[in-house]
Amino acid sequence: MLTISQLASFAGVTVRAVRHYHAKGLLPEPKRDRSGYRRYDAFAAVELIKIRTLADAGVPLARVHELLAASEEEFTAAVADIDRRLRAEIRERQRHRERIARLAAGDSLALPPEAVAYLDRLRKLEFSDLMVEGERDAWILVAAQLPEHMPLYMKAKQQQLDDPATLQLLRDLVAAASWEADDPRVAAVADRLVALFEADAEGWEDHQAEGRGEHQGVMPAELAQLLDAVFLDLVPIARRLLDLLEERGWRGWTNLERIRPT
Amino acid sequence: MLTISQLASFAGVTVRAVRHYHAKGLLPEPKRDRSGYRRYDAFAAVELIKIRTLADAGVPLARVHELLAASEEEFTAAVADIDRRLRAEIRERQRHRERIARLAAGDSLALPPEAVAYLDRLRKLEFSDLMVEGERDAWILVAAQLPEHMPLYMKAKQQQLDDPATLQLLRDLVAAASWEADDPRVAAVADRLVALFEADAEGWEDHQAEGRGEHQGVMPAELAQLLDAVFLDLVPIARRLLDLLEERGWRGWTNLERIRPT
DNA sequence: ACTTGACCTTGACCCTGCGTCAGGGTTTCA
DNA sequence: TGAAACCCTGACGCAGGGTCAAGGTCAAGT
């Protein structure tokens, strides 16, 4: 007859764990000797090993309890389930390995050089510090989520700055960012924006079509939503501007989309 | 500026988790708006993603706290460490998959047919139910731990029964199992055992030598110790018998070994 | 016979990483 | 003018035990 510590060390668990399994009803309380010590037989050892085998595989103790009393079929079904979970966890850890590797590379923490170049150019063009900081915050978010898409985005932004009309509109937008929410000039800004969108529309749609297989230029909805929220919070006229754009057939901001062909 | 739920959903965590990170000092408390609501900027989102990336990789939050404030080298060293742990966990799950697969096969729960045959033969040879049950318990333990070695063990046990001298000694041992601890006849039994060991020694040692690469016939120390403990607990003369055997140059019982060449 | 050290007993609190109320106040949309 | 959907703090709950505390017991050596 075994004492609790002999039993425990045989199964490679602590004495505390064995008592825990008693308290949980997983392992039946064995008989006691005259001094009240628990005395175990070989079956207890076998049961304990079953418990540990299941628990080590990540099965919650409550589930282990059920399984020990389950029928053959239930048991094999459950085991198949556990095996699926283990495989999923293995894949999960493999993904985590990749994620922390990227984190360690440090690229996602700071901004990539293209973004730094873009922000520098904004400063040279004498945009306000406030605007540049807003842009920086936004691109930090994007870079943290989609580091691999940054070169593409930055190329697009640089092209915007290359075009004098777009650049002027951008300057006007920055000025408009400090207007009150109900400023009457917003409508005019909306009109100019729509005109620019319409002009760009063809080339833009071609671009969308090209990047079919993998969302080349388009941003995941979550991220776009977040950037929109930042825009809405920082710029008083943002809400009304988006509403006016929607009246004119365009929805969204970060992920702009046409909702009515004109 | 983001509300707590916007921030949380961006990073794919719950609002409660974000507050938890504040309470733990992982994420600095942001400023509040006039109604006391937390308002976050883009950096908070980046920090939160870093926290989740580490936490998802299984880093305890206390450790995450340190790492966020760590130097470049410390951080990369820690990441290497985490990566090692992840690889180890992947290997662990792979082992667990094998273990539960064996459990599901059911072979390790009951006794394999060889063992059943062996126990049946013991009963036919009119060994007492008590002795047969003791044997059964012991072999259940072995089968649970080393199912693949069972055929070998059972073959050895059957060979013992084939030899009339060994069989007779076994019968005498069973009778001796009910003696008092201080029975004077124990010494004679020890002598007979040693004589048998010496006779078998050559062939036995050859056998040991054969199974060099993988412990063919020899049992892991843990298991042997457990079986010895069962023997010592069940049989009053066991302690003294082992002492006498040791005087005569043999130590142990389940894993018998010569400690003095005669 | 006595001590020492290793075991055994129950009971109770501690830990992580949040989930989940409870019991409020605020903002937003219709 | 609600009702729904947010937000706040504070507190308790969960698994799966670890870790005292405050004893009782057993085996060994002296």
Side-chain angles (χ1 to χ4, degrees), chain A residues 1 53 89 93 99 233, chain B residues 1 53 89 93 99 233:
Chain A
M1 297 275 101
T53 300
E89 284 178 16
R93 319 250 146 183
R99 277 187 68 187
D233 277 323
Chain B
M1 296 275 101
T53 301
E89 283 178 16
R93 318 252 147 181
R99 276 187 68 186
D233 277 323

Side-chain angles (χ1 to χ4, degrees), chain A residues 91-109 144-145 147, chain B residues 10-13 46-57 75 79 82-83 86:
Chain A
R91 279 197 305 278
E92 208 184 340
R93 319 250 146 183
Q94 282 160 350
R95 279 203 311 280
H96 290 331
R97 284 191 63 198
E98 290 165 21
R99 277 187 68 187
I100 62 157
R102 288 211 312 211
L103 192 64
D107 295 339
S108 55
L109 303 185
Q145 291 288 86
Chain B
F10 174 65
V13 304
V46 174
E47 281 300 294
L48 184 52
I49 285 181
K50 279 166 65 176
I51 292 170
R52 281 314 313 172
T53 301
L54 290 168
D56 284 341
F75 189 79
V79 164
I82 294 162
D83 192 70
L86 284 174

Side-chain angles (χ1 to χ4, degrees), chain B residues 199-208:
Chain B
D200 285 358
E202 258 171 64
W204 186 72
E205 275 168 358
D206 285 357
H207 178 73
Q208 290 285 80

Side-chain angles (χ1 to χ4, degrees), chain B residues 163-212:
Chain B
D163 176 40
T166 310
L167 180 59
Q168 187 52 50
L169 184 52
L170 194 55
R171 287 191 194 283
D172 294 347
L173 270 177
V174 171
S178 54
W179 295 348
E180 298 289 311
D182 55 356
D183 194 293
R185 292 169 291 178
V186 174
V189 172
D191 287 336
R192 289 180 55 201
L193 277 169
V194 168
L196 185 71
F197 297 160
E198 307 283 346
D200 285 358
E202 258 171 64
W204 186 72
E205 275 168 358
D206 285 357
H207 178 73
Q208 290 285 80
E210 268 172 38
R212 190 185 304 285

